Each structure stands twice: as C-alpha cells, then as structure tokens.
Amino acid sequence: MRIIIKIQAFMEIVEKDHPKAIFVLPSTIPETIGTDMEAICEELSMEYEDIR
C-alpha cells in the first residue's frame, strides 16, 4: 500500500513539475522489509523515459 502511495506521489511530481531528474533515496524501512527499490525505479524509468 505505501509503495502505491509513493508511486502516485512520484507521478504527481512528474505531472506538476516536469523534472529532468528524480533521485530516490530509500530509508531503512524499505531496506528492512525488502522493498526492491531498484525494480521500482526500473519500472518507472520505462514509463518516464525522458526523466533520469
């Protein structure tokens, strides 16, 4: 659920601000529970190819 909320926040930032780059800095909680941040970033990078 929290990952979905964060992806929605990501999409809102892209639509509102049109950034050229977005940095994703995980906290210790995603690392502890095993969230695959690399896979999430990879999936989003395919959808938003013009953002690095």
Side-chain angles (χ1 to χ4, degrees):
M1 177 78 170
R2 291 179 189 234
I3 293 172
I4 293 170
I5 292 169
K6 292 180 185 197
I7 291 173
Q8 288 173 342
F10 176 91
M11 293 186 310
E12 288 174 16
I13 290 168
V14 170
E15 290 174 14
K16 180 182 173 193
D17 299 325
H18 308 288
K20 294 184 182 202
I22 295 178
F23 295 91
V24 178
L25 304 171
S27 67
T28 57
I29 293 173
E31 294 292 322
T32 301
I33 63 174
T35 303
D36 190 351
M37 296 300 290
E38 188 174 338
I40 292 170
C41 291
E42 184 73 27
E43 184 174 329
L44 289 171
S45 71
M46 287 187 270
E47 187 171 341
Y48 299 98
E49 294 178 356
D50 55 333
I51 299 174
R52 295 286 168 212

